[in-house]
Amino acid sequence: MPENPIRERSPFDLRQPWLISLFLLVCIPLFPDYVTPFLAVGSLLAASRDARQQHRRLRVGTAGKAMLALIAYFAVGLIWADNRAFTAITCLGWIVMLLLYVSVSTVLTEPRRAEALLFMLSAVAGILGALACVQYAAVAFFGKDVTFTMAWYTVDRAIYDLFPFPMTLGSGFNRACATFPNPNMFAQYLVFVIPFTAAYGFSGRRNASKILARVSLLLATAGLLVTFSRGCYLALFAIAVVMCIANIRRLIPILTVLCSVLLLMPDTVYQRLSTLADATDVAILERFELWGVGMQLFTKAPLLGHGAGVACAMDALGQAGYNAPHLHNLFMQILVEGGIVGVFLLLFVVWKFFRTGFELIIHTPKTRMYGAAIIAFCTGFCVCGMFDYPLFTPKTAAMFMIVLGIADGLGFIQLRHPSCTVWQALPFYQPIHDRLEAWVQKKTAPKA
């Protein structure tokens, strides 16, 4: 019997569907937000083709099931939502982003595929970090305006002018944001990807790809610092602490990378860091005021919330005189949108992340670094979420889904975690399936 031709291909053959799927999804940060759905659909189509070639189906893991439950809950929230149209659009956006999770969890079937994904993520993070540093240097030396720090500003402006509602572009400050429309969003993306860049760069044998990942880590960290996002500064510090504690044997090279970045940073970064302890800072005081508005909204619908989407919070903030798109706190925002039930489901997703990371840490020395990366991601995500809403835009939500898929994929490969098809993961699938099976058997049974 001839061997499977799929296995005869070189691991660098770009025609392989799994590689196409991963390439499409890692390119998401390079393009504007409105391109994200198209890349997500393309990635899923390639993952589906790979699954058919391998005689498998699209699959979902334990963390994916928890995320699916959260999305299903928000979809049911259409019944009581204050703004049903905005809730429906938000749920549709989450469903599209979930395609990325399904792509990653389906494609990651062996270690080399996970390594390829982490390498590509690291390379893209390094490219964007370098672009941010170039933007900062151009503003510092040549006095460019804010539009230069937004790579897609001209294209975005032309596209958003076609929208039936106004779209605000620009952060109002000369802060680097690479290909993102806002420096905080870019910093949040880097918080998501830096733990896995570090894990890939410092795990296994040192080779060319590992060295490139370490360079990417340097550039990504520098890019985060020149965003001047103070909440992400704290998240980066938390990530560094977790990675150092979990990988004490790698402590020296990790600290060397961090110290190298800090020594090369301009004085403006240290000036920004010093404002973290300034109790009179306007931005810090305003966040407390925004959270107060959020608490008032929460008390009006504490159990189930006002429905998915930022429309309710945005309207309340506008009435209170604040020009803010959300509450600048992930957990407060979810409390308003989904109530206590929504926050519980979100924390359950984070717990699934954390549990997989802990199991990888204690599994074998080879998986220790990846387990630390997952726990560091959870820590950075929660710290960042205390000061901002890192799931606000398509690209940051997409990266969250990709990391979710990486966690479940590593669980499949290294820990033999169970998985199921997408249909089996849907709520009430089993009772509906059993009833249909009984009905089919009844109709097809021979008559006595």
Side-chain angles (χ1 to χ4, degrees):
M1 182 180 294
E3 294 183 0
N4 189 341
I6 299 173
R7 296 182 179 178
E8 295 177 354
R9 292 179 181 174
S10 166
F12 302 101
D13 187 353
L14 296 180
R15 295 173 296 176
Q16 297 178 90
W18 68 269
L19 196 56
I20 296 174
S21 177
L22 296 182
F23 179 78
L24 289 175
L25 61 88
V26 299
C27 286
I28 285 175
L30 298 173
F31 296 96
D33 285 295
Y34 44 81
V35 179
T36 301
F38 301 100
L39 294 176
V41 173
S43 178
L44 182 68
L45 293 176
S48 301
R49 183 181 177 189
D50 176 70
R52 288 195 300 270
Q53 290 182 350
Q54 301 291 336
H55 306 291
R56 295 182 289 101
R57 295 184 179 182
L58 300 176
R59 64 180 184 176
V60 176
T62 54
K65 290 181 182 179
M67 192 67 208
L68 189 59
L70 177 61
I71 297 174
Y73 168 71
F74 279 132
V76 173
L78 281 167
I79 299 172
W80 61 80
D82 294 351
N83 190 326
R84 294 182 178 177
F86 206 94
T87 297
I89 294 173
T90 302
C91 292
L92 179 61
W94 274 114
I95 292 172
V96 173
M97 295 303 104
L98 189 66
L99 301 182
L100 292 165
Y101 163 79
V102 175
S103 299
V104 176
S105 61
T106 300
V107 165
L108 295 189
T109 58
E110 53 185 321
R112 72 176 182 127
R113 295 189 176 192
E115 292 273 323
L117 174 55
L118 294 174
F119 170 73
M120 288 189 284
L121 282 177
S122 303
V124 171
I127 291 171
L128 294 181
L131 176 59
C133 292
V134 170
Q135 290 172 338
Y136 173 80
V139 171
F141 291 104
F142 302 107
K144 297 290 185 180
D145 60 18
V146 68
T147 59
F148 181 79
T149 65
M150 302 166 61
W152 295 105
Y153 182 85
T154 304
V155 178
D156 288 347
R157 184 71 278 162
I159 296 294
Y160 290 144
D161 283 344
L162 303 176
F163 281 31
F165 47 85
M167 294 287 294
T168 303
L169 288 175
S171 63
F173 305 95
N174 289 330
R175 297 163 57 187
C177 53
T179 59
F180 287 69
N182 183 281
N184 292 333
M185 298 172 188
F186 175 53
Q188 291 157 17
Y189 153 74
L190 291 175
V191 166
F192 288 1
V193 76
I194 279 176
F196 295 94
T197 303
Y200 178 75
F202 291 102
S203 63
R205 294 183 178 180
R206 185 171 59 182
N207 52 34
S209 63
K210 304 291 185 179
I211 294 174
L212 179 60
R214 296 183 186 186
V215 174
S216 296
L217 178 61
L218 278 169
L219 294 172
T221 305
L224 191 152
L225 292 177
V226 297
T227 63
F228 299 101
S229 176
R230 292 172 294 187
C232 292
Y233 283 177
L234 295 176
L236 179 62
F237 176 76
I239 288 171
V241 170
V242 171
M243 295 296 288
C244 290
I245 293 175
N247 298 280
I248 196 67
R249 294 181 179 178
R250 299 280 186 174
L251 183 60
I252 299 301
I254 293 175
L255 289 178
T256 301
V257 171
L258 293 174
C259 292
S260 300
V261 173
L262 292 175
L263 289 173
L264 295 173
M265 284 299 99
D267 293 338
T268 50
V269 173
Y270 297 103
Q271 293 172 7
R272 184 67 170 175
L273 281 169
S274 66
T275 62
L276 287 170
D278 186 1
T280 62
D281 185 85
V282 175
I284 295 176
L285 293 175
E286 186 181 60
R287 272 173 168 71
F288 284 104
E289 295 170 358
L290 298 181
W291 299 343
V293 175
M295 283 302 299
Q296 294 176 5
L297 287 173
F298 166 66
T299 55
K300 295 178 181 178
L303 183 61
L304 301 178
H306 297 268
V310 296
C312 179
M314 191 184 302
D315 291 342
L317 292 172
Q319 294 173 8
Y322 299 103
N323 183 21
H326 49 73
L327 296 171
H328 283 276
N329 186 295
L330 170 67
F331 304 101
M332 182 65 69
Q333 189 71 41
I334 299 299
L335 269 177
V336 170
E337 296 182 17
I340 295 174
V341 177
V343 169
F344 172 80
L345 290 173
L346 176 64
L347 292 177
F348 186 64
V349 174
V350 176
W351 161 247
K352 288 295 185 181
F353 264 121
F354 186 88
R355 182 176 178 178
T356 300
F358 182 76
E359 291 178 357
L360 286 170
I361 285 178
I362 64 176
H363 183 57
T364 64
K366 292 183 179 180
T367 61
R368 184 180 183 85
M369 184 67 83
Y370 293 128
I374 293 174
I375 294 179
F377 164 80
C378 294
T379 306
F381 174 74
C382 291
V383 172
C384 186
M386 292 300 297
F387 307 97
D388 217 318
Y389 185 31
L391 301 179
F392 179 56
T393 62
K395 288 204 286 189
T396 52
M399 287 309 304
F400 180 84
M401 290 296 186
I402 291 172
V403 173
L404 189 74
I406 291 173
D408 270 350
L410 292 174
F412 302 147
I413 297 170
Q414 304 292 347
L415 305 174
R416 305 302 180 188
H417 279 177
S419 64
C420 63
T421 65
V422 175
W423 293 112
Q424 291 172 340
L426 294 176
F428 310 112
Y429 166 82
Q430 198 59 46
I432 294 175
H433 177 268
D434 294 342
R435 288 178 179 272
L436 286 175
E437 285 287 338
W439 182 81
V440 170
Q441 291 180 4
K442 181 179 179 180
K443 291 296 183 181
T444 57
K447 296 182 179 179

